[in-house]
Every structure is written in C-alpha cells, then in structure tokens.
C-alpha cells in the first residue's frame, strides 16, 4: 500500500494547457488509494470540462464560490477541512500571484486560505513568465509561508518555447504528494486493529455480547493513523462514528472478525487486538425466534469461538502482535500468562472490575506487559492513552 492510501486530496485546477494532465493525475492518485475532489477555476474550464474531471474523480467538480447547491453540501470551508492535502496542478502565474496577495475571490483561493492541510503547487507556465522576477518573488514568498512547489520541469512548451515551466508529469506529482505523508513514527507501516464487542446470535432477535464500547480500539486507530500508519479498523457493533481516513471493516460475530482479521494480514506490520471477542457462541443459532415454553429453565449449548489473536500470532509472516487482557483480579499475572500462552509480543492489561476505567468508560489505566518487564500507565483519557501506547508500540515495531 502507498502512503496515499485513504488520503483525501483536494485538487485545484487553474487555467493552463497543462490542465489536460489533471485528468491523468486524478487517475494516478486514485490508483494509490487516495480519494480526489476537484476545484476548477473559470479559466481552467476553458481548457478541460468539469464533466471530464467529475467522471474521473467520481465526485462533483466544484467551480463557484457562491453556488447555493454546493454550499448546502460541501462549501469551501467543508472542502478545505476535508482535505489532507491541497494540490494545485497546474498552478498558473496568475493564480500564484493571487495566492501571494491572500485573495479570496473564487472557490480555489478561499479553499487555499481556509485549509489547515498542507498546500502544494505544481506550476505550469511559459518559460518567460516563469523566469519573470515577479513570479520568482511570489514563489519565494509562498515558500516562506510553507507552501511547497513541485517542479516545474524544463523542456519544449506548448507555445513552442523551450525552457523551465512545464508541469511535472502526473506520476512525478503523485510521488511528491505521497512523500508529504511519509512522516511520523509509523510512517509506511500498516496497522490492523480489532475493536468493540462481538455479537453471537441465539436467534434472529437475540444475541450474547458484552459491554465493550469500542472507545479504546477507535482511539488506537486514530492515534496510529496520526502517527502515519495505514490503518484497518475491524469493528464489532458500536455507537461510535467511523474514524476518518482509516479502512473500516464492520463485523458482527467473532467468526466474522476472525475472517476479516486473517484477510487483513496480507498488509499488516502490527496487529492490535483490543476487541472484546466472545469466547463462546451458541452451538446452533435458531433460524426463527425461540418461543417461550412451559419450562422454567432453558439450556443453551455453547461452542468455542476461534481465538483471533492467537491465530494471527501463529500465522506465517506474523505481524508484531499486541493483545489486550481484560481481567478482574491478578491483572498482571493473568496478562503475562496470556502473553506466553498466545505467543504475543506484548499484552496491554486493564482491570475491568472498575467502573471508572476499562469497559465503556472514557478513561483507562493499563499495565504494558512486555516479555522482559512491565510498565504501568496511570489513569488518563483513552485518547491520550492510545497516543502513549502507540509511541511505545511503534518503538518496538521499528526496532523489531
Ligand atoms: O471498548 P471499550 O469500552 O473502550 O473497552 C476497552 C476494553 C476493556 C474492551 C479493552 O481495553 C480490552 O481489554 N480489550 C480486550 C478484551 C478481551 O476480550 O480480553 P480477553 O482477556 O478476554 O482476551 C485476551 C485477548 O485475546 C484480547 O486481545 C482479545 O481481543 C483476544 N481474543 C479473545 C478471544 C477470542 N476469541 N479472540 C481474540 O482475539
């Protein structure tokens, strides 16, 4: 997988003959797993139609600042916030000058002003315009503001001139865009996380489950993503929104989670099993709702579910495998037993007998049980704990 996988790229297209290369650029970005939305300036539409870029990107192309329809769904602020990276390709001399002045008189300039995402430009213009001191001063000013410039290349130009000013080829731009995401302690790594409870059907309306909310696993997914990893989150049913920019696989039962986990192993450097998986399931889930009988008792036969994290740790080409241990007594010693029995690299142990931490709480307190030693992390929010855990796990994976 590429570092562009699951990344959201807002592509700005300004007026220039190189606008035709934007069509190819969209395809190449998508090939790397990125989602692409497009803003076109009026001048860009003289060179290539919005319909072409809409068909290629699979999303409506945004063209006007005050389009009431666009404002309802995805206005300039929403677009600016949506982007992980704003790439303007081609960026004309006029657009660059307007950016320097901080103008906000069209959709693209306002998105550039509003976005918290990194902004990159792929200039394309006649060699004389490129070499002009005004353009060079403008680019210097933008560089000082942290705006990155990709290219241009040198060569023969559409106007017949030869020199600098050609837009870089789409493949080169994709490579440079991908490089913007290659930072962070888990850059280039792929992390698979299980989260939440599983549901084991008794009949079509009843199931066996537990109190896991998914908060711990979702926080880990976001922390790993923010550390630069490509994240697959395999989740049982929860009430939480899907974390952005993670591959999300929804499952119900332990068997489904088992299958999804094995499927995800083809691209996995670290597997974190934070899900509360049901150890047993009803031997035969009834096809119809079970009716009350005259009996005061009812016997439910249960069979063992596959142990997901054990299977992952035993797989060929095993990833660095992290288990959790939910215990109510002798927390650390039971966790160490799981570390050895399940052949894990590390176990995160938490006490689930307490109401203020563990299941369904916003906070947690854990002991990290390594083969050689242990480290206790005092109570803190699951968001903060996840970040602290990811730092430690990343160090272990990177030195593995
Ligand atoms: O979801 P929250 O409300 O935020 O709560 C977080 C949590 C308490 C669920 C979490 O911190 C936690 O402890 N998760 C593991 C829960 C659990 O099932 O622990 P266990 O000790 O029963 O299992 C040990 C390990 O084996 C776990 O990594 C578990 O995911 C894994 N397992 C268990 C059974 C099974 N069939 N397959 C597994 O992979």
């Amino acid at each position: 997988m590429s570092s562009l996988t699951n990344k959201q790229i807002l592509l700005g297209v300004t007026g220039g003959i190189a606008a035709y290369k934007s069509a190819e650029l969209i395809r190449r970005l998508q090939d790397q797993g990125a989602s692409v939305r497009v803003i076109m300036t009026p001048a860009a539409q003289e060179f290539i139609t919005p319909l072409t870029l809409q068909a290629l990107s699979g999303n409506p192309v945004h063209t006007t600042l005050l389009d009431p329809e666009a404002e309802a769904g995805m206005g300039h602020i929403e677009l600016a916030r949506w982007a992980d990276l704003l790439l303007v390709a081609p960026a004309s001399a006029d657009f660059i000058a307007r950016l320097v002045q901080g103008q906000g008189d069209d959709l693209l300039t306002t998105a550039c002003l509003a976005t918290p995402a990194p902004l990159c430009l792929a200039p394309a213009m006649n060699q004389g315009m490129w070499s002009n001191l005004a353009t060079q001063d403008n680019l210097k000013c933008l560089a000082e503001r942290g705006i990155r410039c990709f290219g241009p290349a040198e060569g023969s130009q559409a106007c017949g001139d030869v020199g600098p000013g050609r837009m870089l080829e789409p493949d080169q731009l994709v490579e440079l865009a991908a490089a913007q995401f290659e930072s962070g302690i888990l850059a280039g790594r792929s992390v698979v996380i299980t989260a939440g409870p599983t549901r084991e059907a008794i009949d079509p309306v009843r199931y066996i489950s537990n109190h896991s909310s998914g908060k711990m696993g979702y926080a880990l997914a976001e922390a790993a993503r923010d550390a630069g990893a490509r994240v697959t989150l395999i989740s049982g049913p929860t009430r939480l929104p899907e974390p952005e920019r993670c591959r999300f696989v929804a499952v119900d039962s332990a068997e489904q989670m088992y299958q999804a986990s094995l499927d995800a192993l083809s691209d996995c450097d670290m597997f974190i099993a934070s899900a509360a998986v049901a150890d047993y399931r009803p031997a035969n889930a009834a096809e119809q709702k079970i009716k009350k009988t005259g009996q005061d008792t009812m016997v439910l036969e249960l069979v063992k579910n596959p142990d997901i994290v054990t299977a992952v740790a035993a797989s060929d080409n095993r990833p660095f495998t992290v288990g959790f241990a939910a215990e109510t007594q002798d927390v650390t010693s039971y966790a160490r037993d799981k570390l050895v029995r399940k052949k894990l690299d590390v176990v995160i142990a938490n006490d689930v007998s307490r109401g203020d931490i563990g299941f369904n709480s916003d906070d947690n307190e854990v002991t990290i049980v390594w083969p050689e030693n242990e480290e206790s992390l005092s109570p803190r929010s699951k968001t903060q704990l996840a970040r602290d855990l990811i730092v430690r796990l990343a160090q272990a994976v990177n030195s593995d």
Side-chain angles (χ1 to χ4, degrees):
M1 264 204 236
S2 129
S3 52
L4 283 172
T5 305
N6 296 331
K7 294 293 184 293
Q8 301 182 156
I9 309 297
L10 184 56
L11 177 65
V13 183
T14 72
I17 186 62
Y20 79 93
K21 290 189 189 172
S22 310
E24 179 70 8
L25 178 57
I26 291 170
R27 271 282 156 82
R28 297 283 78 86
L29 288 166
Q30 288 173 329
D31 288 348
Q32 299 295 311
S35 308
V36 183
R37 290 180 184 266
V38 181
I39 296 178
M40 296 179 80
T41 64
Q45 295 166 61
E46 301 290 333
F47 292 89
I48 186 166
T49 68
L51 195 61
T52 305
L53 301 191
Q54 176 171 321
L56 289 169
S57 67
N59 288 310
V61 167
H62 304 271
T63 53
T64 48
L65 180 57
L66 299 174
D67 173 0
E69 241 178 70
E71 283 295 309
M74 179 77 74
H76 60 288
I77 300 298
E78 282 85 353
L79 276 169
R81 284 189 191 137
W82 175 85
D84 294 318
L85 179 80
L86 202 169
L87 170 61
V88 183
S92 66
D94 171 67
F95 176 77
I96 289 169
R98 290 194 295 123
L99 202 56
V100 169
Q101 288 159 12
Q103 287 190 15
D105 53 356
D106 66 13
L107 182 58
L108 185 55
T109 47
T110 44
C112 289
L113 286 174
T115 192
L119 175 55
C120 304
L121 308 177
M125 63 197 75
N126 162 271
Q127 55 83 27
M129 293 168 76
W130 171 256
S131 307
N132 190 290
L133 272 185
T135 306
Q136 290 305 312
D137 281 351
N138 285 340
L139 286 159
K140 213 167 133 213
C141 168
L142 293 179
E144 279 162 11
R145 293 182 201 162
I147 296 173
R148 282 148 245 189
C149 191
F150 298 166
E154 286 200 37
S156 59
Q157 302 197 303
C159 55
D161 282 4
V162 176
R166 281 171 60 97
M167 187 169 92
L168 292 184
E169 294 306 316
D171 281 342
Q172 295 172 294
L173 291 177
V174 168
E175 212 171 287
L176 288 163
Q180 306 308 306
F181 296 102
E182 284 164 9
S183 63
I185 45 175
L186 284 176
R189 298 289 195 168
S190 178
V191 177
V192 178
I193 299 172
T194 65
T198 62
R199 284 181 182 173
E200 311 302 322
I202 297 172
D203 68 13
V205 295
R206 304 180 181 95
Y207 54 81
I208 299 172
S209 192
N210 59 62
H211 293 294
S212 170
S213 62
K215 287 177 191 170
M216 191 69 248
Y218 281 50
L220 283 163
E222 287 173 346
R225 176 203 65 199
D226 293 345
R230 301 182 299 280
V231 176
T232 298
L233 178 61
I234 302 171
S235 175
T238 75
R239 292 172 179 275
L240 303 175
E242 287 178 25
E244 288 180 9
R245 289 177 279 116
C246 294
R247 192 168 82 84
F248 187 80
V249 183
V251 296
D252 244 24
S253 65
E255 283 184 303
Q256 289 171 356
M257 188 174 274
Y258 174 75
Q259 197 49 57
S261 299
L262 296 190
D263 290 348
L265 289 187
S266 55
D267 179 36
C268 177
D269 296 305
M270 173 156 63
F271 185 90
I272 307 178
S274 69
V277 186
D279 290 322
Y280 291 88
R281 68 179 182 279
N284 298 300
E287 282 186 12
Q288 304 300 332
K289 184 182 169 196
I290 299 171
K291 292 289 183 196
K292 216 179 333 186
T293 65
Q295 310 287 332
D296 283 344
T297 59
M298 175 184 163
V299 175
L300 197 58
E301 193 191 350
L302 302 177
V303 292
K304 218 172 195 174
N305 271 323
D307 192 301
I308 301 166
V309 77
T310 303
V312 169
S315 62
D316 298 339
N317 210 1
R318 94 197 262 289
F320 185 87
T321 310
V322 184
F324 267 70
E327 307 295 348
T328 55
Q329 56 177 337
D330 298 334
V331 176
T332 310
S333 62
Y334 279 127
R336 185 161 291 287
D337 174 62
K338 278 178 183 154
L339 178 83
V340 175
R341 200 162 28 86
K342 299 192 181 206
K343 298 191 168 58
L344 306 176
D345 292 297
V346 57
V347 168
I348 316 295
N350 45 195
D351 184 342
V352 290
S353 66
R354 287 170 50 181
D356 58 333
I357 58 167
F359 280 114
N360 203 13
S361 57
D362 289 333
D363 298 338
N364 208 358
E365 175 182 359
V366 300
T367 301
I368 310 175
V369 179
W370 299 99
E372 312 302 336
N373 53 40
E374 285 145 27
E375 183 188 3
S376 293
L377 299 184
S378 58
R380 61 199 77 180
S381 71
K382 284 181 178 168
T383 308
Q384 186 55 49
L385 178 65
R387 291 193 198 119
D388 297 335
L389 286 172
I390 287 296
V391 168
R392 287 157 176 81
L393 297 174
Q395 277 166 357
V397 171
N398 292 334
S399 63
D400 205 21

